[in-house]
Structure formats: structure tokens, C-alpha cells
């Protein structure tokens, strides 16, 4: 209907446009003609006005040409008449003298304009009509052609509209008829059917729209299921649709043959047009009703099944809960209700963190672990041990939709298992500790004696090589023993992390130097340090260093040729106030298979034994590394390919010290690694040149350092002066003393080595000055050179590097004949190493006595300590760092370094925390020196000795430190043999660090 109306409207529109166009053409023609007449009239007036004067009869010939040439258009001419209307001038000479009436035929088809002159004559101008209306004719022809084209276009457009409307009408009919599941009809306000689609006819078994319209009332039952009359209700719905715009309702239809009732959903929508009507959409609900019935049946079955399974879960005595992807409870059983002391309806929808357990809202949460594949966790809460098992719930497509968690109290099970494990662990740890102690005691003696012998340059080569082999093997065995002890501590859960601030550059340097020096193969080493790594961090430096040393050691061990690379990076940690220290160790060595990687961190894991027989070690290192990484809440990963190499990546969360980053200069200096001697090996053979022509000055405020330095240089036959301050060194130079080398400690009280060197250089002194430093980082050479030093030597002094310095700065500057003569005389008599060791202990005691008051005063006045006292504290800590290193106490040396850094930075917390340990160590050194004076040839009162050792052993078992200390002090006041005195000293050392197990083993061993 709407299409037809649109067609009729378009038809009349075309007719109106054509009529308007014809009217416009006629109007334009009339308008142009009037304009043209007006224009020619004005032009004629101008021509005639030009002749507006009297012409005498005798002047007619004079004006003849002028009159004839008056033209308004092509073919036009002028005419002159006298007062009698006789022609005086005319282009047709036959008309001259005749009256105008006689020449009317001549003037036909001309347009004439005339004007009377002053003397009564008439001047006129004539134009042929054809030329006069030429422009008007052209316009008329153009407009006619344009009109014809316009009418033709409208005709084509009109035909096109007819075709389009037919197509639209056909498409609309197809759309209506082909609607797959819905009947469509058109109704007017009186609920009369105007049209409908084929689906609706088929639905009610009606043959045509006409039949449907006529029998519309027959396809509905008299009454609807609600009891209302159908005829009345249909008019109500139609009216409502006209008023509200649309209405939707359910309606019961029936076929004409009354054999089938059809429930339908009817939607009536008002359409606003020239004539309002309604579109009705009728959807057959039979399939929907059937499906709804099936759904209801299935729902009942599911509810029954759900009740059955809920009853089963409620019968389980363990708390069982189901969570969605947001970790909110969707089901809990009665055991969970009892645990939470809440009803099920109050629990559903709550987050599972409502458990209130320690692991809730942490990375150890059971749901968080399940997401990464860990399906079982154990945790402790309020003294109760729990085990949580979590399984993912998946839909039919395999997509995770939630989690089911089962909680179990395993306190009693764990208690029994723990008791059994502790018993086995105690037996194992006791065996390992006793065995390792029994091995380590003679091993220390072997190492000590061997090291002393290796200092004797007069040893024959064969004997030196034998001692070197003994030393290296013993050192390796000692490392294995230490690993076993570390493992036993881990298993006994007695290994603790000690957190303190440490210098990252020193940590990197120490680890790299240690491993490079132990590398005897020609393996290229690369170091990359990110400049954004913090300069200082807070953590257990010793254990972090142990991790890196193990990784580097393995990389060098299992790389026969190629490269080992260490990269040190840092990243912001997820934990606030922490930074992730990242260590990458990459090698081009043997590599591992996937199976080997999976077994890498197990105890005693070693691979490819046939090809690795010569590689030393027990395979405990990586197991210990993994334990240490876990203790630090870090991560370790391995990427390895057989035959191509291995990459270890360790990520360790370390607390921020907020002291800035290494920066580009310091990072670059670390990466430009200056290796002192790649073949460095403790006890390695080298030749000392005899240099009686040389003279050196050693400047150090620590007596034991002076003693060690002097003792190391004595075999060279040098003239050696020593002073204990920068002031004394300056006085020596002022008094005219000249030395081949001045060895200058860079950190001394009152005047340090930098200031002393500056003053000496300003005095014009040009000879070499070598810095002695315990803080010698690789890459700091530039700092010393800029401060007037020629070289630097790290403390404890490396005798091989010292030898190279002496050769370079003394021997190589002498004439050949002087060197040759010195070689003829040979080296000086070797030093008695046993006496030297006793002297070193006595010297160390003297240094300890000087430092002890400074440490005690700082600890006592820590809250009000001044900057000057802090500086002195740092200087003494620096001194004791060397003292401890000289006597082989590396752990104490590291503690002293930490206190030195704390003193420099004013870190009172570290000073207060760590100083007492150093004080106790200093007291022990002093007491050791005193005890050495009281040694006897035999233990005269062995029964009393055994009695006190038994008291110590029992006290250690009961962790009674006071009783054990009292017994040690009693024994120390008496005179014993050197062996017994050493045992008593070592027991005191173990008690100092609260290592009751080792002290007990040593005391019981002394009893036996």
C-alpha cells in the first residue's frame, strides 16, 4: 500500500514539474520580448535625438547619407518625411516624393520609430522584424530544446521509479513470505486484516489473504485460556497498540478445522503513515512450550542430583568448598560451616580469604598456587598445621570455571612425621658434624703447615710441587666438608640469614676475582654490570656471594674452552622497599639434557662422570644454592642445551639501602676488569729476585700489617724502613730519605694515605708510591693514579703481585751488572715460619688492644656518638679488617669491613648490631696471645681437664652458655700444652658464635 502511494505521488510530482517548466518558458519569452522592445526603443530615441534639429529643404541632400545610415539592426534604415508626409529620404528612390500611406507595403515586416522635428518634418528609423526579434527567437529555440530534454529525463526517471517500486514491492513480499518462523499481518483500527505473509496462512491452514480476512474471527477459540472472550480482547489489544505504540501478549489460536490449538506470542506495532495501521507479528510457541517443559523436567532432575551430591559432600568430615574464578565461595559443606561458625547462606558469595588464615591474600594462597599448577600447599595457622588440596573445575570446553578446595588438619600427622624425621636428621647431622670435624681438625693443620712450607723459597722444585698438590687437594677437601656442613645445617633448619648493608661493587669484584684466579684454563671471561644496579643493598652478603661463587665455579669447571659471562642487573621488586638483584651466568661448556636439568638441584648430583672424572666436587653446590635462593624468597632458573652451554638466572629480592646506583663510571670500571694474574694459585711457584740494592718504606698504623709486609719483603734482601703514620713518613722525606718504593696504607687515623701522598708529592718527591688498601676494587686504579699513587696492592697482600711490583719498580730500573752481582750472592736466609706465625699473633693482639677501647666506647655512646668518633671507629674497623685477614679470620674480616662502611655512613643500627661480635673477637685474640705464654710441655692434671670438658659438653647439650663459658675461663687460667690450649680456644670461638653443637663435639673429643 505504501509503495503504491509513493508511486502515485511521484507520478503527480513529475506532471507538476513539467507544467511548471512550460509556464516558466512562456513567462521567460514574454519577459525577454519586453526587455528587447525597451532596449530598441531607447536606442531609437538616441538615434532620433541626434537628428533633433530643423533641416532646410535645400539641405536634404546633405543629410541623406546620415539619415539612411541610421540602423537599429541589420537591414535597417532611416526615413525623412516633410510636413505633408511626403518621403524626402528613403533607400527606395522610387518612393521619393510620395506620401507614406502610399508606401505602407514597403514598411511591412519592419518596426518603425519616428519623431517630429521643429519644422514639422518627421524623422523615422525602421528595422526588419526578422532581425529585430532575432535574439528572442534564439532564446525561444534554446528554451524549447532544454524543455524537451528535461521532459525526456523526467520520463526516464518516472519509468525507473516504476521499476524500482515494482522491485521493492516484490522484495517486500518475499521478505514477508519467506520469514522462517514468524507470521506477519497488517490490520487497521477496526482490527480488519489488510494483508499477511505466507507463513501466517500456512500456520492456520488458510489459502489466501482474503479468506484470512473473512475468517479472522474463526481462527481463535471463543474464549482465551484466561476466560476472556477472544473477540472483545482482540479489539482491546488493537486499541492499546494504537494508543501506546505497541503491545505484546500471548494468544491461543486454532486452525479452521478446529483440529489443533496453537499457542502464539503476538506483538502489535503501530505504523504512522498517511493512514495509521498496525503490523502484527505472530510467533508459534508450540516448540518453545515443549522445550520449556523439558527444561523444567531437567531442572527438577538436576536439583535432585544437586541435593544428592550436597548430601555426599556434607557427609565428608573435611571442609570442602567451591570457589569461582574471583575466589568467591559458590558452595561450602557442613564441615566448612562448622569451621567458620557461619551458616551456608551467609558464606556463599564471600571471598575465600574469609578463612582468615595466614596464607590468605598472599602468594602462598592455595588458589593462587593452583593457578600456576601447584595443587597442594601446607601452612601453619595459630599452631595448627593444615594441608589444602585444590583442583580446577572445567567446563565441557576444558575452560577453568572455578576451584574445589579440601582442607585437612595434619598437625598430628606432621608431628609424628617430624619426630621421626628429626630423629633421623639428628643422627645424620651428628654423624656428618662429627665426621667433618674429625676430618677438618687435621686438615687445618695440613693446610697451615703446607702453606708455611710453600713460603720457603729455598725448597727444591719437586718438593714444592708435592706441597702444592697437598695444599690444593686439602683446600678442595675442606671446601667439600664445608658444603656437607652447610647441607646438614639446612636439613636441621639451623641455617640463618644475617642481613646487613653491603657494597655491591665489592661483592661483584670479590666473587669475580676469586673465580678468575682459580681458573687455570684459557677461558675468556666477560662481565656486564648495569649502571642502574644499586650501589648498596641490604641482605646476607656472604650467602649471596656463596650463590654466585657456586654458579661461576661450575661454569669454569664444565667449560673446557670458550667463554664464561656474568651479567649483574637489577629490577624493581613486587615487594615494596625491595630490589631484585639479578645474576646471569652463561657458559659455552658441556650443557645438559632436560633430564639432567630436572635432577640438577638434588643432593650429590653430578653428570657425565666418564668425561668429568677430573672435575673435583661432590655435587652438593647447586643443592645448597637452591636452598639459599629459597631462603631469600628468590628464584633460580636454568636454560641449557647439550654441547652448547648453560645459562643460570638467579633473582634475589634485596632490601633497598637508598644510596643511589653504581652509575656509568663505576659500572664501566668493574667491566674493565684488570686481572692481576690469571695463573694465580695459592702457593704457585715463582722466583724471588734478590735485591739488596733496593730500599722501601712501609707506612701503616697497624702493627700486624707492618709485620706481614716486612716479613713478605725480607726474602728479597731489601732495606726496609717502617713507620706507623703519615706524619712519620713525611718526616722521613723531609730528612732527605729516598726510597725505591713507598708502600702507603691509604686509610690511617688523623692523616690518611691520600693526604700524606699529596703532601709528599708537593714536596717534589718523584719516586714511586704504592697504595696499600683493603678496599681495592677492580677499576679503582684511576682513583689512585689521580691521587699521586703509581700502583696499588690489595690487602691481604698477594705475594705474586707484590713480586711483580718489586720487579717492575726496583729490579727493572737497575743496570744489568748490579742485578747480576745480586744474583750471585743469592737470597737471604728464609724466615722461620713457625716463629713468624707466633710473632704475627702477638702483633695482632697488640693491634686488638689498641682498637678495643675505640669499639667499646662507640658501642657504649652509640646514641650520642660524634662525627669524629665515627671516623675513628671506621679507621679502626678498617685496621682490624686487615688484622683478621692476616690471621686467616675471613668472616671476622668481612664483619670489620661492614662496620667500616657503617662508620663512614653513620649507620648506627649496624654499629649497634655488629660491634659486640668484633669486641668479643678482639678479646679472644688478646686472651690467645696471653695463653700462648702459659703453654706447658705436658698436661699435668688430665683428670681435672676431662672433668671440665665434660661440664662443657653437658652445658652445650642444654644450651647453657653461662656454665660453658665459666668452665672455659677456669681452664684458660691454667697452663696446658699447645694442643690442649688450641682445643680450649676453639671451644671458646664456637661458644662465641653460639655454635653449641660444634663446641660439644670438640669438648667430647677432648675428653676421649
Amino acid at each position: 500500500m505504501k509503495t503504491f502511494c509513493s508511486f502515485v505521488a511521484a507520478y503527480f510530482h513529475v506532471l507538476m514539474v513539467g507544467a511548471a517548466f512550460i509556464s516558466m518558458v512562456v513567462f521567460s519569452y514574454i519577459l525577454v520580448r519586453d526587455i528587447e522592445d525597451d532596449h530598441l526603443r531607447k536606442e531609437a530615441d538616441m538615434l532620433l535625438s541626434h537628428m533633433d534639429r530643423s533641416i532646410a529643404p535645400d539641405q536634404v541632400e546633405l543629410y541623406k547619407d546620415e539619415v539612411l545610415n541610421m540602423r537599429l539592426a541589420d537591414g535597417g534604415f532611416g526615413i525623412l518625411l516633410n510636413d505633408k508626409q511626403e518621403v524626402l529620404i528613403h533607400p527606395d528612390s522610387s518612393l521619393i516624393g510620395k506620401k507614406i500611406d502610399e508606401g505602407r507595403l514597403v514598411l511591412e515586416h519592419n518596426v518603425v520609430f519616428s519623431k517630429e522635428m521643429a519644422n514639422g518634418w518627421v524623422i523615422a528609423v525602421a528595422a526588419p522584424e526578422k532581425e529585430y526579434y532575432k535574439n528572442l527567437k534564439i532564446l525561444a529555440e534554446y528554451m524549447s530544446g532544454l524543455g524537451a530534454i528535461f521532459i525526456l529525463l523526467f520520463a526516464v526517471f518516472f519509468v525507473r521509479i516504476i521499476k524500482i517500486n515494482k522491485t521493492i514491492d516484490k522484495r517486500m513480499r518475499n521478505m514477508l513470505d519467506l520469514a522462517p518462523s514468524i507470521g506477519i499481518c497488517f490490520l487497521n483500527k477496526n482490527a480488519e486484516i489488510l494483508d499477511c505473509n505466507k507463513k501466517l496462512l500456512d500456520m492456520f491452514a488458510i489459502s489466501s489473504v482474503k479468506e484470512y480476512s473473512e475468517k479472522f474471527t474463526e481462527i481463535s477459540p471463543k474464549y482465551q485460556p484466561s476466560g476472556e472472550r477472544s473477540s472483545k480482547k482482540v479489539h482491546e489489544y488493537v486499541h492499546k497498540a494504537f494508543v501506546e505504540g505497541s503491545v505484546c501478549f500471548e494468544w491461543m489460536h486454532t486452525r479452521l478445522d478446529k483440529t489443533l490449538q496453537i499457542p502464539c506470542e503476538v506483538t502489535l506495532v503501530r505504523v504512522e503513515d498517511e493512514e495509521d495501521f498496525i503490523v502484527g507479528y505472530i510467533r508459534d510457541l508450540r516448540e518453545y512450550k515443549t522445550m520449556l517443559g523439558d527444561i523444567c523436567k531437567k531442572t527438577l532432575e538436576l536439583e535432585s542430583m544437586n541435593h544428592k551430591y550436597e548430601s555426599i559432600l556434607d557427609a565428608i568430615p573435611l571442609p570442602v568448598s567451591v570457589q569461582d574464578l574471583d575466589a568467591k565461595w559458590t558452595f561450602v559443606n557442613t564441615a566448612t560451616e562448622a569451621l567458620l561458625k557461619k551458616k551456608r547462606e551467609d558464606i556463599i558469595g564471600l571471598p575465600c580469604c574469609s578463612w582468615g588464615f595466614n596464607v590468605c591474600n598472599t602468594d602462598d594462597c592455595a588458589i593462587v598456587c593452583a593457578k600456576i599448577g601447584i595443587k597442594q600447599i601446607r601452612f601453619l595457622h595459630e599452631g595448627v598445621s593444615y594441608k589444602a588440596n585444590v583442583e580446577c573445575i572445567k567446563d565441557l570446553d576444558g575452560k577453568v570455571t572455578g576451584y574445589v578446595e579440601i582442607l585437612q588438619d595434619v598437625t598430628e600427622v606432621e608431628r609424628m612425621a617430624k619426630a621421626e624425621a628429626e630423629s633421623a636428621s639428628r643422627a645424620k647431622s651428628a654423624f656428618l658434624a662429627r665426621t667433618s670435624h674429625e676430618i677438618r681438625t687435621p686438615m687445618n693443620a695440613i693446610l697451615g703447615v703446607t702453606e708455611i712450607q710453600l713460603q720457603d723459597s729455598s725448597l727444591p722444585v719437586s718438593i714444592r710441587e708435592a706441597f702444592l698438590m697437598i695444599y690444593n687437594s686439602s683446600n678442595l677437601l675442606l671446601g667439600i666438608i664445608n658444603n656437607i656442613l652447610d647441607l646438614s645445617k639446612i636439613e636441621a633448619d639451623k641455617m640463618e640469614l644475617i642481613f646487613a648493608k653491603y657494597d655491591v661493587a665489592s661483592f661483584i669484584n670479590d666473587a669475580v676475582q676469586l673465580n678468575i684466579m682459580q681458573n687455570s684454563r684459557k677461558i675468556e671471561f666477560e662481565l656486564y654490570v648495569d649502571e642502574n644496579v644499586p650501589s648498596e643493598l641490604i641482605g646476607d652478603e656472604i650467602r649471596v656471594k656463596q650463590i654466585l661463587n657456586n654458579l661461576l665455579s661450575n661454569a669454569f669447571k664444565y667449560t673446557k674452552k670458550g667463554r664464561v659471562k656474568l651479567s649483574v642487573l637489577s629490577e624493581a621488586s613486587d615487594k615494596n622497599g625491595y630490589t631484585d638483584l639479578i645474576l646471569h651466568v652463561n657458559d659455552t661448556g658441556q650443557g645438559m639434557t632436560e633430564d639432567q636439568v630436572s635432577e640438577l638441584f638434588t643432593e650429590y648430583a653430578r653428570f657425565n662422570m666418564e668425561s668429568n672424572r677430573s672435575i673435583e666436587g661432590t655435587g652438593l653446590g647447586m643443592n645448597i644454592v637452591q636452598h639459599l635462593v629459597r631462603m631469600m624468597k628468590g628464584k633460580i632458573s636454568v636454560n641449557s642445551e647439550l654441547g652448547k652451554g648453560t645459562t643460570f638466572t638467579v633473582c634475589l629480592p634485596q632490601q633497598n639501602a637508598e644510596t643511589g646506583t653504581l652509575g656509568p663510571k663505576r659500572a664501566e670500571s668493574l667491566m674493565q676488569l684488570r686481572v692481576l694474574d690469571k695463573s694465580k694459585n695459592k702457593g704457585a711457584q715463582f722466583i724471588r729476585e734478590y735485591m739488596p740494592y733496593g730500599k722501601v718504606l712501609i707506612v701503616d698504623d697497624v702493627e700486624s700489617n707492618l709485620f706481614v709486609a716486612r716479613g713478605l719483603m725480607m726474602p728479597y734482601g731489601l732495606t726496609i724502613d717502617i713507620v706507623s703514620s703519615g706524619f712519620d713518613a713525611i718526616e722521613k722525606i723531609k730528612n732527605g730519605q729516598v726510597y725505591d718504593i713507598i708502600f702507603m696504607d691509604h686509610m690511617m687515623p688523623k692523616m690518611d694515605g691520600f693526604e700524606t701522598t699529596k703532601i709528599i708529592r708537593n714536596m717534589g718527591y718523584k719516586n714511586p708510591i704504592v697504595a696499600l688498601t683493603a678496599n681495592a676494587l677492580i677499576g679503582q686504579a684511576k682513583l689512585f693514579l689521580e691521587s699521586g699513587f703509581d700502583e696499588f696492592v690489595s690487602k691481604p697482600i698477594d705475594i705474586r703481585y707484590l713480586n711483580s711490583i718489586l720487579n717492575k719498580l726496583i729490579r727493572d730500573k737497575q743496570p744489568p751488572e748490579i742485578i747480576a752481582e745480586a744474583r750471585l750472592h743469592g737470597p737471604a736466609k728464609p724466615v722461620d715460619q713457625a716463629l713468624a706465625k707466633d710473632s704475627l699473633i702477638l702483633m695482632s693482639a697488640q693491634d686488638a688492644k689498641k682498637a678495643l677501647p675505640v669499639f667499646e666506647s662507640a658501642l657504649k655512646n652509640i646514641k650520642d656518638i660524634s662525627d669524629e668518633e665515627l671516623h675513628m671507629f671506621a679507621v679502626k674497623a678498617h685496621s682490624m679488617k686487615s688484622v683478621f685477614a692476616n690471621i686467616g679470620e675471613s668472616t671476622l674480616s668481612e664483619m670489620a669491613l661492614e662496620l667500616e662502611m657503617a662508620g663512614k655512613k653513620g649507620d648506627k643500627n649496624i654499629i649497634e648490631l655488629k660491634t659486640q661480635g668484633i669486641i668479643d673477637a678482639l678479646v679472644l685474640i688478646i686472651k690467645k696471645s696471653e695463653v700462648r705464654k702459659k703453654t706447658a710441655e705436658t698436661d699435668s692434671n688430665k683428670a681435672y681437664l676431662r672433668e671440665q670438658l665434660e661440664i662443657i659438653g653437658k652445658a652445650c647439650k642444654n644450651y647453657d652458655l653461662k656454665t660453658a663459658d665459666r668452665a672455659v675461663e677456669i681452664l684458660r687460667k691454667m697452663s696446658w700444652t699447645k694442643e690442649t690450649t688450641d682445643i680450649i680456644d676453639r671451644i671458646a670461638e664456637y661458644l662465641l658464635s653460639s655454635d653449641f653443637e660444634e663446641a660439644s663435639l670438640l669438648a667430647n673429643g677432648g675428653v676421649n
Side-chain angles (χ1 to χ4, degrees), residues 558-627:
Y558 295 100
T559 303
K560 292 183 179 179
K561 62 179 180 178
R563 173 187 57 79
V564 171
K565 181 177 181 181
L566 167 64
S567 299
V568 183
L569 311 164
S570 65
E571 290 181 357
S573 175
D574 295 337
K575 193 175 180 181
N576 190 30
Y578 280 75
T579 294
D580 288 339
L581 179 64
I582 300 172
L583 306 173
H584 290 285
V585 177
N586 169 261
D587 65 65
T588 57
Q590 296 179 6
M592 294 175 284
T593 64
E594 290 185 8
D595 292 339
Q596 289 172 341
V597 170
S598 65
E599 297 176 7
L600 178 64
F601 297 108
T602 57
E603 293 179 16
Y604 312 105
R606 294 189 66 191
F607 310 122
N608 307 328
M609 293 302 295
E610 290 185 5
S611 58
N612 294 330
R613 287 184 185 277
S614 60
I615 295 178
E616 302 155 336
T618 60
L620 289 174
M622 294 311 299
N623 181 257
I624 294 171
V625 164
Q626 187 185 51
H627 280 291

Side-chain angles (χ1 to χ4, degrees), residues 961-1001:
L961 181 61
K962 188 175 181 180
T963 301
D965 276 339
R966 190 184 304 116
V968 169
E969 288 303 314
I970 291 172
L971 291 175
R972 273 185 163 171
K973 291 177 181 178
M974 302 174 67
S975 180
W976 307 101
T977 62
K978 183 178 181 300
E979 182 181 358
T980 302
T981 302
D982 287 341
I983 291 173
I984 295 169
D985 287 343
R986 288 174 64 194
I987 291 173
E989 288 176 20
Y990 286 132
L991 292 176
L992 200 62
S993 58
S994 298
D995 194 343
F996 292 102
E997 188 174 352
E998 291 293 334
S1000 176
L1001 289 171

Side-chain angles (χ1 to χ4, degrees), residues 38 89 138 268 280 340 471 476 515 580 625 693 698 773 1000 1003:
D38 186 57
I89 298 174
I138 293 171
L268 302 179
L340 292 174
Y471 183 88
L476 172 65
N515 286 277
D580 288 339
V625 164
Y693 43 77
I698 305 172
T773 174
S1000 176

Side-chain angles (χ1 to χ4, degrees), residues 283 417 591 804 811:
R283 184 164 66 95
S804 68
R811 184 198 66 184

Side-chain angles (χ1 to χ4, degrees), residues 177-196:
D177 289 343
L178 296 176
S181 59
I182 193 166
I184 304 172
C185 65
F186 297 90
L187 301 89
N188 60 17
K189 291 182 178 181
N190 299 320
E192 296 173 344
I193 301 299
L194 303 177
D195 199 354
C196 69

Side-chain angles (χ1 to χ4, degrees), residues 424-656:
S425 180
R426 277 195 299 271
K428 178 181 177 182
S429 297
F431 171 76
L432 288 174
R434 184 180 295 276
T435 305
S436 62
H437 168 72
E438 294 301 325
I439 297 172
R440 192 167 54 177
T441 300
M443 196 58 59
N444 284 332
I446 294 169
L447 282 168
V449 171
T450 308
E451 187 170 7
I452 290 171
Q453 293 301 320
L454 285 170
Q455 301 303 314
D456 186 356
S457 58
S458 64
L459 286 175
V461 174
S462 59
I463 295 176
R464 173 173 291 279
E465 288 179 351
F467 274 125
L468 181 60
M469 187 178 298
I470 293 170
Y471 183 88
N472 288 336
S473 298
S474 301
N475 204 36
L476 172 65
L477 185 56
L478 192 61
I480 293 172
I481 294 167
N482 290 334
N483 276 344
I484 293 173
L485 286 176
D486 272 349
L487 188 63
S488 66
K489 285 181 180 180
I490 289 169
E491 290 178 344
D493 200 22
K494 289 187 177 180
M495 181 171 280
E496 296 179 355
L497 297 177
I498 301 173
F499 297 99
K501 189 185 296 184
Y502 64 92
D503 185 85
V504 175
S506 298
F507 151 72
I508 297 170
N509 174 71
D510 292 348
V512 169
Q513 281 296 324
L514 174 65
N515 286 277
I516 288 181
M517 296 309 171
Q518 290 180 348
N519 170 34
S520 59
R521 300 190 187 101
K522 299 294 183 181
I523 298 172
E524 180 186 354
F525 178 74
E526 292 181 19
L527 174 62
Y528 172 76
V529 181
D530 187 358
E531 63 183 61
N532 296 313
V533 172
S535 60
E536 291 184 328
L537 292 169
I538 298 173
D540 192 328
E541 180 186 8
I542 294 174
R543 294 306 181 185
V544 176
K545 194 180 292 183
Q546 185 177 358
I547 291 169
L548 181 55
N549 282 340
N550 268 291
L551 297 179
L552 286 173
S553 175
N554 275 359
F556 280 113
K557 277 182 185 178
Y558 295 100
T559 303
K560 292 183 179 179
K561 62 179 180 178
R563 173 187 57 79
V564 171
K565 181 177 181 181
L566 167 64
S567 299
V568 183
L569 311 164
S570 65
E571 290 181 357
S573 175
D574 295 337
K575 193 175 180 181
N576 190 30
Y578 280 75
T579 294
D580 288 339
L581 179 64
I582 300 172
L583 306 173
H584 290 285
V585 177
N586 169 261
D587 65 65
T588 57
Q590 296 179 6
M592 294 175 284
T593 64
E594 290 185 8
D595 292 339
Q596 289 172 341
V597 170
S598 65
E599 297 176 7
L600 178 64
F601 297 108
T602 57
E603 293 179 16
Y604 312 105
R606 294 189 66 191
F607 310 122
N608 307 328
M609 293 302 295
E610 290 185 5
S611 58
N612 294 330
R613 287 184 185 277
S614 60
I615 295 178
E616 302 155 336
T618 60
L620 289 174
M622 294 311 299
N623 181 257
I624 294 171
V625 164
Q626 187 185 51
H627 280 291
L628 292 175
V629 170
R630 285 177 177 173
M631 287 177 69
M632 297 180 191
K633 306 296 183 184
K635 298 175 183 176
I636 183 169
S637 62
V638 188
N639 185 12
S640 186
E641 187 173 351
L642 192 63
K644 293 188 177 180
T646 304
T647 299
F648 285 92
T649 302
V650 175
C651 178
L652 300 173
Q654 302 285 281
Q655 192 173 345
N656 294 326

